[in-house]
Amino acid sequence: MSASTPELTTADSRAGVDSRPGIAPSPFTVAVTADAARPDGSSIHGDLGLQRLTANGLSWGVLPSYTDPIPLADLAGVHAVLSLGHIAFDARTVDHAPDLRLIARFGAGYETIDLDACTRAGVVVTNTPDAIRRPLALAGLTLLLALSHKLLAKDRLTRTSDWARREHYRGAPLVGQTVGIVGFGSVGAELARLLAPIGMKVVGNNRSGRHAEAAELGVELLELNELLECSDYVVLCAALTPATEKLIDAGALARMKSTAYLINIGRGKLVDTDALRDALRDGRIAGAGLDVFEPEPLLPEDELLSLENVVLSPHSLCWTEDFTRDVADSAIASILAVAAGERPANVLNPQVFATEAFAAKQA
């Protein structure tokens, strides 16, 4: 792993990164996962603001390879991991990382992190739900508008000078149409706010059947089947759990209107992809907008790539400059808080603070 400390930072070490192997001794050391970051700390998301770690006296470096799970040797001496993707942190990993105090997830999803194991091991886990709320909601709106206006079909007609066929691609109505948000939480509430000025009705579904902002936004929370049957656009925002894996299966798709569209900005595994291909091919639903898949990336021969009633994005539709800035700020704030002996925001396993394992790591 590359690493930096204030003493190692020089004008020639880009972003404060030293090229020598191993982690330099430091009061607090941060490892950045290599699935989305390069050795110099630059990332596919843009500037992560890692210089804030250096400025606060923390040592940081990018792991030497993208290996899942992370080799235990690479976590020796590591106090915090900035996890940029979906790397697994299971009991075997956290139980054998005695210095690890924090896993700061860059983003909202944490289905690959064993929260119970982290709690037992005294490891705090955080994510960045507030920072990702607006970008994800805008991603859902983008797919909805692209589908409703048949944007890709019209793009193809224009590129092939096939203007005579444009009469066959009139857009679907928006005003008065119903958008059903599955997994109605903070992202769903933000999407509802964006849809209100358009004149669309929003209904929601979540595990608890409650949400603090639902009444304020005029969102009625329904059972899943009822939502599927009444919605013109179904937007998936749910977290991936054992209970939500393949939540949208052949039976769920059969409940949707033949004129309805499915939009997935949650996780690919929320949908039975085989059933979705069948429904799209056979015209049992009007189309789909997908930013997430199972698997990722899609295989070159996947039928989804050739279906004309599908809009696709490579799990990056919400990647904007403000997304990277705000998510990175939130994740780094968690790291700085733990390094200072403080409790960070957005803790996913608050029970950890009462464990002997956590107390021992603070001693």
Side-chain angles (χ1 to χ4, degrees), residues 13-25:
S13 59
R14 296 175 57 193
V17 179
D18 182 72
S19 60
R20 288 173 288 181
I23 300 176

Side-chain angles (χ1 to χ4, degrees), residues 24-49:
S26 170
F28 198 91
T29 298
V30 182
V32 182
T33 59
D35 47 345
R38 305 174 186 91
D40 66 355
S42 61
S43 87
I44 62 175
H45 300 290
D47 183 6
L48 299 175

Side-chain angles (χ1 to χ4, degrees), residues 6-291:
E7 292 76 21
L8 291 176
T9 302
T10 69
D12 295 328
S13 59
R14 296 175 57 193
V17 179
D18 182 72
S19 60
R20 288 173 288 181
I23 300 176
S26 170
F28 198 91
T29 298
V30 182
V32 182
T33 59
D35 47 345
R38 305 174 186 91
D40 66 355
S42 61
S43 87
I44 62 175
H45 300 290
D47 183 6
L48 299 175
L50 297 173
Q51 63 275 8
R52 289 180 56 196
L53 300 176
T54 304
N56 282 274
L58 277 59
S59 172
W60 65 268
V62 178
L63 289 166
S65 64
Y66 175 21
T67 305
D68 187 10
I70 297 170
L72 298 179
D74 289 346
L75 293 176
V78 169
H79 300 96
V81 173
L82 177 55
S83 179
L84 297 180
H86 306 293
I87 286 178
F89 289 90
D90 55 12
R92 176 184 175 275
T93 299
V94 297
D95 287 347
H96 294 86
D99 299 304
L100 187 62
R101 303 180 192 176
L102 171 69
I103 299 168
R105 174 75 175 90
F106 183 94
Y110 55 91
E111 65 272 10
T112 59
I113 301 175
D114 187 334
L115 293 182
D116 291 336
C118 288
T119 299
R120 291 192 299 269
V123 177
V124 180
V125 183
T126 62
N127 66 348
T128 62
D130 296 333
I132 204 168
R133 179 185 298 131
R134 174 55 71 93
L136 262 182
L138 286 169
L141 178 61
T142 298
L143 289 172
L144 188 154
L145 292 174
L147 288 166
S148 67
H149 289 284
K150 297 181 171 53
L151 182 61
L152 289 190
K154 292 174 179 176
D155 177 85
R156 286 191 292 268
L157 294 181
T158 307
R159 293 177 187 275
T160 57
S161 298
D162 193 9
W163 288 48
R165 297 182 62 233
R166 58 184 172 171
E167 66 176 298
H168 302 296
Y169 293 95
R170 283 194 275 281
L174 290 176
V175 176
Q177 297 290 284
T178 298
V179 179
I181 300 176
V182 179
F184 188 87
S186 62
V187 172
E190 190 69 17
L191 179 56
R193 288 190 189 90
L194 295 172
L195 291 169
I198 300 175
M200 304 189 79
K201 177 184 178 182
V202 178
V203 296
N205 165 269
N206 61 26
R207 184 173 50 187
S208 68
R210 301 184 305 277
H211 191 274
E213 297 175 275
E216 170 196 340
L217 295 167
V219 175
E220 183 182 4
L221 296 179
L222 306 175
E223 294 296 323
L224 179 60
N225 288 343
E226 187 178 0
L227 179 148
L228 294 171
E229 290 167 0
C230 75
S231 296
D232 300 291
Y233 300 86
V234 175
V235 184
L236 305 182
C237 299
L240 179 62
T241 68
T244 60
E245 185 168 347
K246 293 190 177 180
L247 181 68
I248 305 301
D249 57 11
L253 291 164
R255 290 183 178 275
M256 292 176 59
K257 300 177 182 179
S258 62
T259 55
Y261 295 90
L262 179 71
I263 296 168
N264 192 0
I265 55 172
R267 288 288 184 265
K269 287 185 178 181
L270 294 173
V271 178
D272 181 334
T273 306
D274 289 334
L276 177 60
R277 291 189 195 96
D278 291 342
L280 290 167
R281 183 193 321 111
D282 299 342
R284 295 200 296 271
I285 63 173
L290 308 173
D291 185 52

